[in-house]
Amino acid sequence: MDPPNIPKLTPPPPTRPAKSYALRFISGKYQGGEFPLQANREIIVGRSSELDMVLVEDMVSRRHAKLTVTGDQIFIQDLGSTNGTFVNGEKIKRARLQEGDRILIGTSIIKVVATETTGSEAEARGRLENMAQDRRTSQVRTMSGAIEEVPLPDLLQLFSTSKKSGVLVVRTDIDVGKIYLRKGQIYYACINDNYDVSPLKSIYRMLTWQRGTFDMDPPEEREFLEEIDTTTEGILMEGLRQMDEMARLRPDLPEFDKNLAFTMPLIPPLRELAPEELDVLQLAYNYGHVETILNKSLATDLETSQILVKLLKAGYLRVE
């Protein structure tokens, strides 16, 4: 007699452990530190020494915010703090957090990151205290970071919402930019202390920077002849629009360090050019250097670049 057919039992699929998260400090006196977010746990953040996460600075309230971890969900709640709690540039009372979200508490910008090992809260707290002590003894600025971690548009949105004042100094390998803020609003900007370039043109250029470091210096009591009267939100919207348009022009636009010259013989007639195009053509004749043309032009970098591309394609100019 044949043996009975016994169904094979399929083992259940292995259960995936819940994803672990941590808070990574990407700016401020605790920059570089991490604090684990353990499952089914409440973490109180504030200046008071008996709390779970202690941030010792004037802009942090004694009991500032509460983080709650339930399963794979993370929530943050402001506890009536004086200076507020911000998530991705928005002031919140309570919000659910996702991986990559940025929290602003005091001068600390904190990013929610996935992590394989959570570690203990006691160890994390000790490391944060040591970092703060090291920065006090070395007199490092309290608000600094890398724009790879916090892009300038995001950083300026945070400062605008939290109404911060000061001078944001941004350094790349070749340039130093300064953005002057008054209660969160940009009122002046310059690159390499070149005051011949308009402040709006300077800020739009800086928004394109993708690598570098930033430091927030105290406010400077100085006046400028040409202050920006556009809101920070308006500047960011226009700057992002110009960035998108410039990206489309990039394949046809010479690098800033290139030189341009008239095509000889000059075949296309000058009468076919509009007045603003003739102005850019004259700048090319007088200076040749692409960056100098952009600096001297009264139009925006985007408008000047569009004209340069047209002049190159139509045969008025050539790249040397």
Side-chain angles (χ1 to χ4, degrees), residues 24-59:
R24 177 179 296 162
F25 288 76
I26 57 178
S27 173
K29 65 196 295 184
Y30 302 98
Q31 182 184 348
E34 285 193 6
F35 195 93
L37 293 176
Q38 296 178 351
N40 303 315
R41 177 85 167 87
E42 282 189 354
I43 299 166
I44 306 297
V45 183
R47 200 174 68 244
S48 182
S49 60
E50 72 270 9
L51 300 182
D52 306 301
M53 184 194 295
V54 182
L55 304 180
V56 184
E57 56 173 287
D58 293 340
M59 292 184 66

Side-chain angles (χ1 to χ4, degrees), residues 185-288:
Q185 297 303 303
I186 302 169
Y187 68 94
Y188 197 78
C190 64
I191 299 174
N192 299 327
D193 292 328
N194 184 354
Y195 299 101
D196 292 334
V197 179
S198 75
L200 269 177
K201 189 176 288 190
S202 297
I203 187 66
Y204 291 148
R205 286 187 191 176
M206 279 187 266
L207 290 177
T208 67
W209 294 356
Q210 297 181 346
R211 301 183 65 82
T213 60
F214 68 83
D215 296 287
M216 181 59 118
D217 286 351
E220 288 187 13
E221 296 297 329
R222 55 183 300 185
E223 295 182 357
F224 298 99
L225 293 176
E226 184 186 358
E227 287 198 1
I228 296 172
D229 59 3
T230 306
T231 65
T232 296
E233 289 74 15
I235 291 171
L236 294 177
M237 288 180 63
E238 175 60 17
L240 293 173
R241 184 192 73 83
Q242 290 195 24
M243 286 170 59
D244 290 342
E245 294 293 331
M246 287 290 285
R248 283 191 275 271
L249 284 177
R250 185 62 57 195
D252 300 313
L253 185 66
E255 297 295 329
F256 279 19
D257 60 351
K258 297 296 184 181
N259 288 303
L260 305 180
F262 271 63
T263 302
M264 299 300 291
L266 186 60
I267 296 174
L270 295 176
R271 64 176 177 270
E272 292 185 358
L273 297 178
E276 59 271 16
E277 295 168 343
L278 287 171
D279 289 343
V280 174
L281 189 66
Q282 184 176 4
L283 290 173
Y285 177 78
N286 289 337
Y287 302 103

Side-chain angles (χ1 to χ4, degrees), residues 291-307:
E291 185 174 6
T292 305
I293 296 169
L294 293 168
N295 288 346
K296 296 288 186 182
S297 175
L298 298 178
T300 66
D301 280 351
L302 173 60
E303 293 165 341
T304 306
S305 298
Q306 289 171 332
I307 293 172

